[in-house]
Structure formats: structure tokens, C-alpha cells
Amino acid sequence: MPDTDMAELSSSEYALFASVARIRRVYAGESLFRRGDLGTTMYVIASGLVELDFGEDLVSKSLGPREFFGELGLLIGDHARSADASAITDGELLELRHEEFERLVERSPELISHFLRRAIMRVVLNEQGLIRRLRRRNQDLQAALDSLRATTHQLSQTEALIRSDELTGLHNRRGLVQHLQERQRNHATTGLGLLLVDCDRFKHVNDEHGHLVGDRVLQGVANILRSVAGPGDLACRLGGDEFCLLVKADTRDEVMRYADFVVGTAQGLMQMSQATPLICSLSLGACLVDLDGEWNDWYARADAALYRAKRLGGNRVEWQDDTPAPA
């Protein structure tokens, strides 16, 4: 039997209820009870409209003449209301408390018995409907969460691609900028060293062996930088055959240990007999980073040292102090 039929009294039931009930005048917007209130009164609408708001994005109900609500408060006693009840329009209600209900039982036990069976069935169906709605809502919420996780994963992958160099997998310039911005936001105070790395005679590798071999050489350089970079360090391909490595360091000696390792590893790989080159010699410019300065200032110092290393024949490291040496 539909819930709307169960909520409406028959003509004989309404006449019986009206014979003992108290009449209450209500006005549009008036609150009858709030969700969670303890109640012992049942209501029958004589005229007007009443809204039951169950909250938590559940569907509200609008009740009209001869429909009843609040029966659990009457049948159970001190029952916590499951909805907010308020008058939509001016109207009248029949109020029934325990003493009025006892009189109903005395007057027509058979009719009241039929009403009680219907009222209990209505409660059961309402609870089952609520459970179904909550289950559907949970399923919808789970689907939304799954979609959100998938979207977040896609965004993370996209962000990783945006800040990564496609050929080598190292950070690109965008990734470098984001790394530096993150350090500034976190007010990082650990010292940094900067290594600018450039491939010696890389154009000759491309011209002599082709761009696929050239790409493998760049990947070899990237592997060296990746192997030496520790937690918090950053290896980056700036473009072409130019790389950089930001390392945690407070002294020149610490930075130079990184630089010597990079140059020495490339030299060792070059000594391996190969028909086509896997690596080329490297020139490095190194400096300490002034945390109060800007990237362009750090780059200028390291670049001055790198230019000097290239001019001296490459395959070496040159150090640059705070003031760039003249070219």
C-alpha cells in the first residue's frame, strides 16, 4: 500500500479521532517540533498543509488534510522526532495525547487496531525507504569519491608531465621553478650548491652518429645526475644539452664532491669501448647559492664558471665565488 494512502485517515477514522482530539490553530511558518525533540503527541491535519523536513539532503514531505504524523511519539512515548515539522499554510490540527488515545481504544478497539497495524506498516516502509535512500546516497558518494580519486590521479600525472622533461625524465625548467617556489614557501634554510652541466662537443655527436645516439647520450648524463641526487636535491634538464643540479651543501668542498663525481663518472663511462658513444665528457660550473638572492643571480655565477671550464677545454669543473669573474 503506498505511503500516501497509509498517512491518510479514512472518513470513519477521522471522525473518531476528531471526536476526542484537541483542536490547535497553526499559522504559516510556525514550527510544531524540531528533529531530535522528545514528543508524546500525534497530529492529524484538519486543514492546511504541513511540511516534514528530514534533513541531511533527504526528501521533505508535504502533508494535507486527514493525513497524520508524529504517531511514534504517541505510541512509544518520549520518542525523538525524526524530522522538523512546520506549517506551510494557516490551518488546524487535531492533537492526540495518550489520554485521548486511550479513549479512542475504548470507543472503537477494532478501528484503532486496524489503524495501528497500518501505522506500524507505514513506519516499517518509511524506514525501509530511508535505508534504500541512504544506501543509494552512499553509493553515489562512493562513486563521486572514486571519480574524484581518478581525477586527482590524472591531475597528478598531468602535473608530473608538465614539470618533467620528456626525454630524460628529469625536472624541466617549470619543475625547477616550482621546486624553488616550494622552498621559499617552506622557508627552507639549508644551504644549496648549484652545478651547471654542459656536454662537450655534443653537436659533433649528433652530426657524427645521429640524433638517436645524441638522445641516448643525454639520457646517460641524466642517469649520472639522477644517481648522485639525494633526497631534497634536484636534477634538471634546462634544455638542449644543458643540465643543472641543485644539491644540499653548505661549503665549497661539499659542492665540489658532487661535481667531481659527475665529471669522473662520465670519464669512466667514456673509457668503456663502444662503437657508438654512450656518454660524452662534461663541463661544470659550480657555486654556492645565496638563499636571499634570485635564480638569475645564481645562474649567472655558475654560468661564468661553466664558460671558463669550456674555454679551458672542457671535461673539468670550475668554481665561481660570489662575484663573477670577467669572461
Side-chain angles (χ1 to χ4, degrees):
M1 184 179 294
D3 180 53
T4 52
D5 293 337
M6 288 185 174
E8 186 174 322
L9 297 179
S10 66
S11 298
S12 56
E13 286 174 332
Y14 181 81
L16 179 63
F17 279 59
S19 68
V20 300
R22 304 178 188 187
I23 304 297
R24 174 175 172 177
R25 181 70 180 171
V26 294
Y27 301 93
E30 181 180 347
S31 176
L32 304 175
F33 53 74
R34 305 289 294 177
R35 190 166 57 253
D37 290 349
L38 298 180
T40 59
T41 304
M42 170 183 161
Y43 300 90
V44 180
I45 301 174
S47 63
L49 296 174
V50 170
E51 181 182 57
L52 300 181
D53 181 3
F54 297 93
E56 298 180 355
D57 65 20
L58 297 175
V59 178
S60 300
K61 286 185 179 180
S62 178
L63 304 180
R66 293 198 349 203
E67 292 187 288
F68 61 91
F69 60 96
E71 66 276 13
L72 284 180
L74 176 64
L75 301 177
I76 298 176
D78 284 336
H79 175 69
R81 305 296 193 184
S82 59
D84 296 339
S86 57
I88 300 176
T89 64
D90 295 349
E92 288 186 344
L93 303 178
L94 307 181
E95 287 188 344
L96 293 104
R97 298 180 177 86
H98 187 69
E99 54 268 33
E100 286 87 19
F101 193 73
E102 289 292 330
R103 290 163 61 188
L104 289 176
V105 174
E106 292 175 1
R107 289 191 182 186
S108 183
E110 184 178 348
L111 195 61
I112 292 304
S113 176
H114 176 72
F115 165 76
L116 288 176
R117 285 196 298 270
R118 194 166 87 255
I120 292 171
M121 181 59 69
R122 177 194 180 205
V123 170
V124 171
L125 291 177
N126 282 343
E127 290 301 316
Q128 290 175 342
L130 176 61
I131 291 171
R132 285 195 297 271
R133 289 194 295 272
L134 288 174
R135 185 178 292 122
R136 283 196 299 270
R137 188 177 66 175
N138 288 339
Q139 290 171 344
D140 291 343
L141 179 60
Q142 186 61 52
L145 288 175
D146 290 342
S147 176
L148 181 60
R149 290 192 194 98
T151 301
T152 302
H153 180 66
Q154 289 174 347
L155 286 174
S156 298
Q157 288 184 318
T158 301
E159 289 176 357
L161 289 173
I162 287 174
R163 61 174 181 263
S164 299
D165 175 60
E166 185 177 1
L167 175 65
T168 64
L170 299 182
H171 281 69
N172 56 20
R173 283 183 180 271
R174 184 189 296 271
L176 172 65
V177 170
Q178 289 180 351
H179 176 79
L180 295 174
Q181 290 173 341
E182 185 176 343
R183 285 185 60 87
Q184 290 178 339
R185 285 195 299 269
N186 295 334
H187 305 288
T189 57
T190 55
L192 283 179
L194 172 61
L195 305 177
L196 281 188
V197 182
D198 192 83
C199 297
D200 295 333
R201 292 171 290 279
F202 181 69
K203 184 177 183 300
H204 173 75
V205 173
N206 278 334
D207 292 344
E208 184 75 17
H209 301 282
H211 289 280
L212 286 179
V213 172
D215 286 348
R216 283 199 292 270
V217 167
L218 294 177
Q219 290 166 343
V221 176
N223 290 335
I224 295 174
L225 298 182
R226 189 181 290 110
S227 69
V228 76
D233 298 339
L234 183 85
C236 172
R237 182 188 178 199
L238 297 176
D241 62 334
E242 186 178 20
F243 298 79
C244 80
L245 182 65
L246 274 174
V247 295
K248 290 186 292 185
D250 294 309
T251 65
R252 168 178 173 160
D253 288 345
E254 289 179 283
V255 179
M256 289 300 289
R257 278 198 293 271
Y258 284 100
D260 290 339
F261 177 86
V262 171
V263 172
T265 301
Q267 290 171 345
L269 290 173
M270 287 182 63
Q271 291 174 4
M272 298 172 62
S273 177
Q274 294 288 338
T276 56
L278 299 175
I279 197 71
C280 61
S281 64
L282 302 175
S283 295
L284 272 70
C287 69
L288 281 172
V289 166
D290 177 8
L291 294 175
D292 294 326
E294 299 292 334
W295 162 254
N296 288 338
D297 298 330
W298 313 338
Y299 182 86
R301 289 207 303 273
D303 190 53
L306 175 62
Y307 179 76
R308 193 162 59 252
K310 300 285 282 187
R311 190 178 58 188
L312 293 173
N315 193 27
R316 61 188 295 131
V317 184
E318 286 293 311
W319 177 263
Q320 183 65 49
D321 290 320
D322 291 351
T323 304

